[in-house]
Amino acid sequence: MKQVVADAAIRDVKSGMILGLGSGSTAALMIKSLADEIRQGKLKNITGVATSFQSEVLALELNIPLIDLSSVSQIDLAIDGADEVDPGFQLIKGGGACHVREKLVASKADQFLIVVDETKLVQNLNRSFPLPVEVLPNAWKQVQEVISEMNGSCSLRMATKKAGPVVTDQGNLVLDVLFDDGIKNPKDIEMAINNIPGVLENGLFVDLTDKVLVGKIENNMPVIYSPSRAS
Ligand code: 5RP
């Protein structure tokens, strides 16, 4: 499903574009499909802007030319995965702890395209997937206390195959936050959390998404569809 939706996303790419390259397993498949199209000469003069160390390494391995985010004034199209998508196309991202650069790239993009499988569609955000919040290392306790007062329970994200916490591409830590009642007002929560001293960015992507491509299995076959945004 992820492969089919990743391939479908490439149909929105045109030669000459500056492309935001997302992070995570679905975005990685999209980057591989993009590299195939470039290798076959179907897409020319593509420049990528990486959203993470993961997408940077992959693009370099696959010979996709990269440019630094700070060197571009505008990105034509950014393609990325998501952890939760609500009917109004508000998102939770950051399952791979890359949401700081992902949001910078999405904010600079003329078009922001999300590629997900059907399991990522939810009616209400944060009922099951915790909201990632990137914090300065020496601020995590202090931020946790403030978020607790907002009825959010935080856990410091721990690494696998490394002792201690996950350290982000920027050298920070991640708190995963579940609110008692989920998130009903993403815009307010995004601002309130980013206003806490020590917070770099949170994984709520509000009013950024232009299009969502969803992959699902129907009659044992992968099917792609693009839902309309609910107002
Ligand atoms: C990384 C992200 C990813 O896009 C998100 O976690 C989805 O990943 P996957 O496609 O592996 O399910 O936001 O920070």
Side-chain angles (χ1 to χ4, degrees):
M1 250 188 331
K2 285 185 177 183
Q3 183 67 64
V4 178
V5 83
D7 291 345
I10 300 302
R11 289 182 211 131
D12 284 21
V13 180
K14 308 274 175 291
S15 290
M17 277 186 165
I18 297 180
L19 269 189
L21 305 177
S23 306
S25 56
T26 319
L29 293 170
M30 178 277 296
I31 294 171
K32 287 179 189 160
S33 302
L34 175 69
D36 285 343
E37 298 279 304
I38 295 172
R39 206 176 312 115
Q40 292 167 32
K42 294 181 187 163
L43 287 172
K44 295 187 192 345
N45 198 20
I46 297 290
T47 309
V49 179
T51 56
S52 62
F53 195 60
Q54 179 208 24
S55 57
E56 184 179 324
V57 169
L58 192 55
L60 286 174
E61 275 173 5
L62 296 169
N63 297 317
I64 300 174
L66 290 177
I67 189 164
D68 193 75
L69 178 62
S70 56
S71 306
V72 291
S73 53
Q74 164 259 359
I75 292 167
D76 295 302
L77 170 68
I79 307 175
D80 209 338
D83 299 297
E84 286 192 339
V85 181
D86 84 1
F89 290 1
Q90 316 296 21
L91 316 175
I92 288 184
K93 286 184 49 56
C98 310
H99 50 286
V100 172
R101 276 169 69 190
E102 288 174 333
K103 202 186 276 192
L104 284 167
V105 168
S107 308
K108 230 180 197 178
D110 290 347
Q111 291 287 311
F112 185 41
L113 168 59
I114 288 295
V115 281
V116 288
D117 61 66
E118 215 179 22
T119 62
K120 306 292 185 70
L121 302 183
V122 296
Q123 276 307 312
N124 294 102
L125 297 173
N126 194 235
R127 285 287 160 92
S128 58
F129 196 90
L131 174 67
V133 179
E134 181 159 336
V135 295
L136 288 172
N138 56 4
W140 75 271
K141 264 277 169 208
Q142 194 174 328
V143 173
Q144 186 178 42
E145 280 162 21
V146 179
I147 292 179
S148 300
E149 286 162 17
M150 298 165 65
N151 295 324
S153 43
C154 296
S155 54
L156 182 63
R157 193 180 297 181
M158 302 309 280
T160 50
K161 298 194 180 175
K162 171 202 171 276
V166 165
V167 178
T168 69
D169 290 354
Q170 290 72 237
N172 299 309
L173 307 182
V174 176
L175 291 174
D176 286 310
V177 184
L178 266 181
F179 286 96
D180 287 352
D181 238 358
I183 295 177
K184 294 187 180 121
N185 44 354
K187 204 173 204 157
D188 295 344
I189 296 289
E190 183 190 25
M191 282 198 298
I193 290 184
N194 281 358
N195 214 20
I196 302 169
V199 169
L200 268 298
E201 188 54 88
N202 70 79
L204 280 167
F205 282 47
V206 177
D207 296 342
L208 285 172
T209 306
D210 297 293
K211 181 173 169 184
V212 178
L213 281 179
V214 183
K216 66 170 181 175
I217 300 288
E218 221 172 65
N219 301 326
N220 288 329
M221 293 288 289
V223 177
I224 305 294
Y225 67 101
S226 180
S228 306
R229 185 201 333 245
S231 46

